[in-house]
């Protein structure tokens, strides 16, 4: 009848008379499924939270504006936590847009090769094999645009890893200052795709920083939805 103090919400593709997408509500601390809503509409979630969310203090979600609005309107000053995977996704999407654009300018052989080996650009730099480093550097050397986007992706990833370590020692101010430095780096780069990603991160900055402060994520819920 009443939702727990921390909840996590995430949509999944199902099939009901109400629509193609449903919404899973889970206990944000344990990952235990609590309820399934018949659709992912903002009004549906808002009404549900108004009825059963009297004890809810924290809501974990992907970077969905309708979910954010529903939680804000239904609950009493909730703490909203942006899921970390979705934070990374916007930066990786920006890199992929650049890679695809550069790929189309290459010869037929390299266009197919670059597409087949796209994981080389998204994989952590320190996890690349010697052969993968060689392939990566070959394509980065041929495109200033791709090299810039790749370096910005790595800069954001480095900020994220540092932030996880810093939060355990109470360095919230340093986390925020480093993020501002990333914004400046993106602005100076002149890369429009990364500028778009950075603008999204800036809009969700409070919720992203909350993910370090409260250490909640949607990983368990994503797993349940994939199973479904």
């Amino acid at each position: 009848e009443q939702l727990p103090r921390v909840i996590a919400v995430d949509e999944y593709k199902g099939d009901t008379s109400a629509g193609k997408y449903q919404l899973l509500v889970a206990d944000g601390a344990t990952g235990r499924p609590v309820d399934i809503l018949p659709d992912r509409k903002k009004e549906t979630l808002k009404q549900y939270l108004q009825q059963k969310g009297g004890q809810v203090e924290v809501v974990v979600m992907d970077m969905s504006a309708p979910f954010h609005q529903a939680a804000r309107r239904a609950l009493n000053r909730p703490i909203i936590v942006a899921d970390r995977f979705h934070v990374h996704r916007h930066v990786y999407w920006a890199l992929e847009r650049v890679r695809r654009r550069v790929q189309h300018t290459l010869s037929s052989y390299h266009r197919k090769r670059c597409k087949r080996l796209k994981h080389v650009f998204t994989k952590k730099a320190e996890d690349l094999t010697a052969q993968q480093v060689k392939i990566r550097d070959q394509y980065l050397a041929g495109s200033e645009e791709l090299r810039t986007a790749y370096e910005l992706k790595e800069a954001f990833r480095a900020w994220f890893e540092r932030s996880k370590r810093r939060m355990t020692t109470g360095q919230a101010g340093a986390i925020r200052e480093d993020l501002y430095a990333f914004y400046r780096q993106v602005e100076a780069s002149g890369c429009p795709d990364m500028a778009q990603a950075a603008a999204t991160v800036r809009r969700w900055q409070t919720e992203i920083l909350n993910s370090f402060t409260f250490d909640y994520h949607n990983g368990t819920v994503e797993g349940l939805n994939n199973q479904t």
Side-chain angles (χ1 to χ4, degrees):
E1 291 302 316
Q2 286 295 313
L3 293 169
R5 188 182 71 85
V6 182
I7 62 169
V9 297
D10 190 42
E11 65 185 26
Y12 69 92
K13 189 175 181 180
D15 187 15
T16 74
S17 59
K20 186 185 296 184
Y21 290 91
Q22 285 72 58
L23 189 68
L24 178 67
V25 182
D27 186 316
T30 67
R32 182 178 63 86
V34 174
D35 215 337
I36 293 175
L37 305 190
D39 60 59
R40 60 177 179 178
K41 295 177 181 177
K42 176 176 65 177
E43 192 63 27
T44 301
L45 178 59
K46 186 183 80 169
Q47 291 178 2
Y48 178 80
L49 293 176
Q50 285 173 335
Q51 292 169 4
K52 300 191 175 186
Q55 299 175 15
V56 174
E57 297 176 10
V58 180
V59 184
V60 188
M61 64 178 65
D62 63 17
M63 296 164 73
S64 165
F67 294 171
H68 189 283
Q69 293 167 7
R72 285 289 185 198
R73 293 174 184 177
L75 304 175
N76 181 27
R77 299 174 63 86
I79 296 167
I80 297 178
V81 176
D83 180 59
R84 294 175 182 177
F85 167 78
H86 291 87
V87 175
H88 278 288
R89 191 166 65 171
H90 287 277
V91 174
Y92 280 67
W93 279 346
L95 174 61
E96 272 294 282
R97 288 195 297 271
V98 174
R99 184 196 61 77
R100 288 196 297 267
R101 189 162 58 247
V102 170
Q103 174 185 296
H104 288 310
T105 68
L106 304 176
S107 67
S108 176
Y109 168 78
H110 283 291
R111 185 163 60 248
K112 294 175 183 176
R113 185 170 182 249
C114 186
K115 181 179 180 179
R116 187 175 70 252
L117 298 172
K118 62 183 180 180
H119 62 277
V120 168
F121 303 99
T122 55
K123 193 175 181 180
K124 294 180 181 179
E126 61 269 25
D127 290 343
L128 294 173
T129 66
Q131 180 62 21
Q132 287 173 333
V133 169
K134 184 178 179 180
I135 294 168
R136 178 202 64 185
D137 291 348
Q138 175 188 358
Y139 287 104
L140 296 187
S143 171
E144 180 70 17
E145 182 183 19
L146 183 57
R147 183 186 64 80
T148 298
Y150 179 83
E151 289 176 349
L152 289 170
K153 182 270 291 187
E154 282 295 301
F156 184 79
R157 191 178 64 80
W159 168 79
F160 203 92
E161 294 300 322
R162 285 196 306 272
S163 298
K164 288 194 293 186
R165 294 191 299 269
R166 281 174 166 169
M167 187 51 69
T168 61
T169 56
Q171 300 183 56
I175 292 174
R176 188 177 292 102
E177 288 304 314
D178 268 9
L179 183 55
Y180 293 154
F182 172 73
Y183 295 151
R184 292 192 293 270
Q185 185 178 352
V186 171
E187 185 176 356
S189 74
C191 178
D193 295 279
M194 280 296 175
Q196 180 181 340
T200 301
V201 172
R202 193 186 290 269
R203 284 196 301 273
W204 284 82
Q205 179 173 302
T206 298
E207 292 78 8
I208 291 169
L209 294 178
N210 283 343
S211 74
F212 299 110
T213 303
F214 299 96
D215 199 27
Y216 292 117
H217 59 80
N218 256 5
T220 303
V221 180
E222 293 278 353
L224 288 169
N225 285 345
N226 287 337
Q227 285 185 322
T228 304

